[in-house]
Amino acid sequence: MDWKLKGSTQRTESPMLQGQEGGAEDTEADELSESFQLLQIDVACECQERETLPTGGTPWSSKNVQRKQRHWEKIIAARKSKRKQEKERKKANRAENPGVCTQHSKRFLKALTKEKLLEARHSGPRLCIDLSMTDHMSKKEMSRLAGQIRRLYGSNKRADRPFWICLTGFTAASPLYEECLRMNDGFSSYQLDITEEDCFSLFPLESLVYLTPDSEHALEDVDLNKVYVLGGLVDESIQKKVTFQKAQEHSVKTARLPIQEYMVRRPNGKNYHSEILAINQVFDILSTYFDTHNWPKALKKGVSPGKGYVLQSPDE
């Protein structure tokens, strides 16, 4: 299942997970340094008010500066005492509960997430975002799409069993790429593949399943041997059956989310019901189902009440 992605870029090699770094001593030093910096700022504000003794010429501090110095010294001492008590409490807690995992540093958790995402490249399900239809999108639409990509990637990072994500038909010189860089912090270091090739030339056609609400076939399961494709479109630019027709042109299988099978239309004043979801909403459904194998639970997470659908009652 480990297809070779032509023109794609794997961001980094798998890191060796390091132990906990940036311990309490570093944190304590940083906080003390910050506190002294604040003290220096306050003292500096009083420097202009300092006077010189007429006899020895020795500078002296005003009572206001001395008062602030004593105030900050008390704050620093209190913080140091609090940190010492917290360290002793954690040490006692570890002694009483030796089997409980200690809290990891942010650097360790970041490395663990990166390792998990890179592992998905070889053993996880695959999701392809088809971005070859963005030529006629407005800047507002591109901003919304960039935001959806950010939320999708964030959900994947938090997943226990992440997907490997590939952005196809995506050129570095495109307005959408610039918008992703502008809106998404760290976008250039996302753990995913980016390629200018389209999904139909990148993967075997028989492995592709294009997810579109216009398909007649409901998705039954998430298959590790398939590559699921989402069209990179937003509500303002949606044209009926664009993704469905594109899949048919390349003789690719299509499927829709089983909304009709597990949900019913809810009456509302606008009589509005839509099965068209943002790409991050579709991903939340796929990810939840892959983790739980429960379509009602997955659909409840991804289909917002504003779409006009609710889960069927047990009687129905």
Side-chain angles (χ1 to χ4, degrees):
M1 197 192 76
D2 186 13
W3 295 290
K4 183 177 181 182
L5 300 181
K6 303 176 182 178
S8 63
T9 303
Q10 182 177 353
R11 293 297 178 194
T12 55
E13 295 297 330
S14 173
M16 294 296 294
L17 293 183
Q18 302 296 327
Q20 297 185 23
E21 299 184 19
E25 292 78 5
D26 294 337
T27 303
E28 180 176 335
D30 291 341
E31 292 181 356
L32 285 174
S33 176
E34 180 182 356
S35 299
F36 278 118
Q37 288 175 4
L38 292 174
L39 174 60
Q40 291 170 359
I41 292 174
D42 282 341
V43 174
C45 293
E46 301 290 339
C47 286
Q48 295 179 354
E49 299 179 4
R50 292 188 177 186
E51 300 179 4
T52 304
L53 292 176
T55 55
T58 303
W60 63 279
S61 300
S62 68
K63 291 183 178 180
N64 191 32
V65 172
Q66 295 174 6
R67 178 182 60 79
K68 288 185 177 181
Q69 286 177 335
R70 292 193 297 270
H71 174 70
W72 277 110
E73 287 171 359
K74 290 180 180 179
I75 291 178
I76 292 169
R79 289 180 178 177
K80 188 174 182 179
S81 177
K82 184 177 180 181
R83 284 192 295 270
K84 184 177 180 180
Q85 293 175 1
E86 182 65 14
K87 288 173 64 176
E88 292 176 351
R89 184 190 66 79
K90 290 182 178 180
K91 184 177 180 180
N93 186 51
R94 288 195 296 268
E96 295 176 0
N97 304 282
V100 178
C101 181
T102 58
Q103 185 178 5
H104 296 299
S105 67
K106 289 184 179 181
R107 183 177 298 182
F108 177 85
L109 294 175
K110 185 177 181 179
L112 185 64
T113 298
K114 185 176 181 179
E115 183 78 10
K116 187 171 59 174
L117 290 172
L118 290 174
E119 179 63 25
R121 190 180 200 279
H122 304 288
S123 60
R126 298 188 175 230
L127 183 72
C128 174
I129 311 298
D130 181 7
L131 299 175
S132 63
M133 300 172 285
T134 61
D135 293 342
H136 302 291
M137 291 173 58
S138 66
K139 185 174 182 180
K140 178 183 177 182
E141 293 167 345
M142 289 187 186
S143 295
R144 290 193 60 184
L145 182 56
Q148 292 174 13
I149 293 173
R150 180 185 67 250
R151 289 188 287 272
L152 186 154
Y153 183 73
S155 294
N156 197 45
K157 285 176 60 178
R158 295 187 296 270
D160 292 331
R161 304 169 67 190
F163 283 57
W164 182 255
I165 299 171
C166 183
L167 307 181
T168 61
F170 197 33
T171 59
S174 66
L176 177 61
Y177 189 88
E178 295 298 325
E179 197 66 11
C180 285
L181 288 175
R182 184 183 70 85
M183 293 187 60
N184 306 341
D185 291 338
F187 176 75
S188 58
S189 61
Y190 277 11
Q191 298 300 318
L192 43 71
D193 278 324
I194 295 178
T195 176
E196 296 182 4
E197 294 186 68
D198 62 43
C199 58
F200 304 108
S201 60
L202 191 62
F203 301 102
L205 295 180
E206 62 272 15
S207 70
L208 296 177
V209 179
Y210 213 118
L211 298 179
T212 168
D214 299 306
S215 177
E216 297 178 356
H217 309 288
L219 184 65
E220 297 180 358
D221 199 2
V222 175
D223 188 347
L224 289 172
N225 295 315
K226 299 294 184 181
V227 180
Y228 296 94
V229 184
L230 296 178
L233 296 172
V234 293
D235 293 346
E236 288 91 343
S237 63
I238 287 177
Q239 302 176 30
K240 289 186 177 181
K241 296 188 176 183
V242 172
T243 53
F244 179 73
Q245 292 173 353
K246 189 172 184 180
Q248 282 192 322
E249 290 174 1
H250 293 85
S251 302
V252 167
K253 293 180 181 179
T254 62
R256 57 175 172 79
L257 295 174
I259 295 176
Q260 300 173 14
E261 284 70 21
Y262 294 94
M263 307 187 83
V264 294
R265 293 189 174 191
R266 180 180 64 180
N268 56 71
K270 296 182 179 180
N271 194 29
Y272 174 77
H273 304 88
S274 175
E275 297 182 37
I276 299 173
L277 306 176
I279 58 173
N280 59 291
Q281 293 174 320
V282 177
F283 175 77
D284 285 343
I285 293 172
L286 292 176
S287 179
T288 303
Y289 175 78
F290 184 64
D291 189 47
T292 64
H293 293 280
N294 186 315
W295 277 119
K297 185 175 182 179
L299 291 169
K300 184 178 180 179
K301 183 172 183 179
V303 181
S304 62
K307 294 296 180 178
Y309 282 90
V310 294
L311 289 174
Q312 296 178 1
S313 65
D315 295 337
E316 295 174 318

